[in-house]
């Protein structure tokens, strides 16, 4: 493994990399990796009360605050309306340009075929479509092509959870506090919009006490925090002694595009 490893997480909305890959990114940043988050929409539909323009600005501020907890070096947000993402040429070009500017070794994104939020599917599809051109200098020639295709991984979301394969697993106990802090910075989502949509607004803590707010996030997004949902894979990766103690973990599925590698090679690349 050669550092600095360069990682880009491409997602649909500003809070998603934090929830689904934030612990892994924080651990990689600790090892000297250069981490970038790319949100393909500005998140301006994600509220029950705020209008688009003030919400867009607020969500950008939340994203930049979250980045500081995780050691993320760059946070790019495209000015595309939330709910209107399409896997078109313009978005594909933006992804190719961003991946090349970052000189990414590893690209993490969503599954491109699953139920759930259409923007998330479109993000995964756009990355799949872009991946074949990362090394082709005739496409988006303003940015030099990558010399080697990056490894590509898929992170889960609520729509892909039932079919997501835990092929690459990461113990994030050492970074769970920073992941939770980063999620909490996205107050519009974790304390306002998601509780409203999922009908548990009455459970949102009135207290600003961190222990209370921390427990709220752990409870209501348990499936994206807990190692229990991938215990078998954790035990295989870390061994019975370490693996049985892991409480918090994240997992990724190998993409069938990008550089073709197996899970063992990805674990070696990550060094986690």
């Amino acid at each position: 493994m050669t550092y600095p490893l360069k990682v880009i997480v491409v997602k649909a909305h500003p809070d998603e990399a934090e929830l689904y890959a934030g612990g892994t990114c924080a651990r990689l940043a600790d090892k000297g990796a250069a981490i970038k988050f790319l949100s393909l929409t500005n998140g301006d539909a994600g509220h029950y009360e705020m209008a688009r323009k003030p919400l867009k600005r607020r969500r950008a501020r939340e994203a930049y605050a979250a980045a500081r907890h995780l050691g993320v070096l760059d946070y790019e947000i495209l000015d595309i309306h939330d709910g209107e993402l399409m896997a078109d040429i313009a978005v594909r070009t933006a992804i190719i340009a961003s991946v090349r500017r970052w000189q990414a070794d590893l690209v993490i994104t969503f599954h491109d075929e699953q139920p759930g939020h259409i923007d998330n599917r479109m993000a995964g599809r756009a990355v799949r479509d872009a991946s074949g051109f990362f090394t082709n200098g005739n496409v988006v020639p303003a940015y030099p092509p990558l010399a080697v295709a990056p490894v590509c991984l898929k992170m889960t979301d609520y729509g892909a959870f039932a079919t997501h394969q835990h092929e690459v697993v990461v113990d994030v106990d050492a970074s769970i506090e920073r992941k939770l802090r980063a999620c909490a910075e996205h107050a519009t989502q974790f304390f306002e919009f998601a509780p409203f949509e999922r009908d548990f607004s009455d459970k949102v803590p009135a207290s600003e006490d961190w222990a209370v707010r921390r427990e709220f996030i752990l409870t209501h997004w348990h499936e994206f925090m807990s190692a229990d949902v991938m215990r078998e894979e954790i035990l295989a990766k870390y061994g019975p002694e370490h693996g049985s103690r892991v409480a918090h973990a994240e997992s990724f599925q190998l993409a069938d595009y990008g550089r073709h590698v197996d899970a063992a090679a990805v674990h070696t690349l990550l060094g986690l």
Side-chain angles (χ1 to χ4, degrees):
M1 175 180 53
T2 301
Y3 273 84
L5 181 73
K6 295 181 179 178
V7 180
I8 185 168
V9 184
V10 183
K11 63 319 185 16
H13 308 98
D15 59 297
E16 291 157 342
E18 291 85 331
L19 176 59
Y20 305 123
T24 299
C25 288
R27 288 202 60 197
L28 289 172
D30 287 347
K31 292 172 66 67
I35 312 293
K36 173 174 181 171
F37 288 172
L38 169 62
S39 180
L40 300 181
T41 81
N42 59 26
D44 65 357
H47 211 272
Y48 56 90
E49 190 173 57
M50 293 187 70
R52 282 190 184 270
K53 285 186 178 180
L55 180 59
K56 176 179 98 169
R57 292 192 293 270
R58 185 178 172 197
R59 294 200 68 181
R61 290 194 300 270
E62 291 175 340
Y64 303 146
R68 291 194 289 272
H69 292 289
L70 302 176
V72 172
L73 296 181
D74 189 20
Y75 210 126
E76 182 180 0
I77 302 174
L78 301 188
D79 198 17
I80 295 174
H81 287 310
D82 185 351
E84 298 181 13
L85 183 63
M86 298 294 294
D88 57 20
I89 292 174
V91 170
R92 186 193 316 159
T93 297
I95 292 169
I96 293 169
S98 192
V99 167
R100 287 182 181 174
R101 287 196 303 269
W102 203 244
Q103 288 291 293
D105 304 298
L106 175 63
V107 178
I108 300 173
T109 192
F110 281 127
H111 290 258
D112 49 284
E113 293 296 337
Q114 81 280 329
H117 202 306
I118 188 170
D119 283 352
N120 294 8
R121 291 200 300 276
M122 289 296 106
R125 191 172 303 169
V127 173
R128 173 189 287 277
D129 293 346
S131 65
F133 300 107
F134 292 150
T135 59
N136 186 333
N138 289 324
V139 178
V140 195
Y143 301 95
L146 299 185
V148 179
V151 172
C152 296
L153 300 177
K154 298 178 183 181
M155 58 187 176
T156 190
D157 70 352
Y158 67 94
F161 192 76
T163 57
H164 176 78
Q165 298 177 40
H166 306 295
E167 294 179 316
V168 174
V169 293
V170 179
D171 168 5
V172 299
D173 279 343
S175 57
I176 188 62
E177 192 71 14
R178 283 171 290 165
K179 172 175 176 167
L180 291 168
R181 292 275 187 181
C183 289
E185 293 288 0
H186 292 278
T188 57
Q189 306 308 298
F190 288 90
F191 300 116
E192 297 171 24
F193 188 50
F196 173 81
E197 280 212 313
R198 292 163 53 189
D199 198 27
F200 60 91
S201 294
D202 59 321
K203 302 292 195 303
V204 175
S207 171
E208 291 294 323
D209 181 77
W210 172 239
V212 175
R213 293 168 79 81
R214 180 186 191 278
E215 187 59 31
F216 174 80
I217 297 172
L218 273 174
T219 298
H220 292 282
W221 285 269
H222 176 77
E223 65 271 35
F224 306 113
M225 308 281 180
S226 174
D228 291 340
V229 298
M230 60 191 85
R231 182 65 63 188
E232 182 179 344
E233 292 83 2
I234 288 285
L235 290 170
K237 166 69 169 62
Y238 292 102
E241 185 176 351
H242 181 165
S244 63
R245 296 195 305 267
V246 176
H248 307 99
E250 293 170 351
S251 79
F252 306 91
Q253 182 174 323
L254 299 169
D256 58 351
Y257 52 84
R259 193 188 332 158
H260 293 291
V261 294
D262 59 15
V266 177
H267 280 126
T268 299
L269 179 70
L270 299 179
L272 302 176

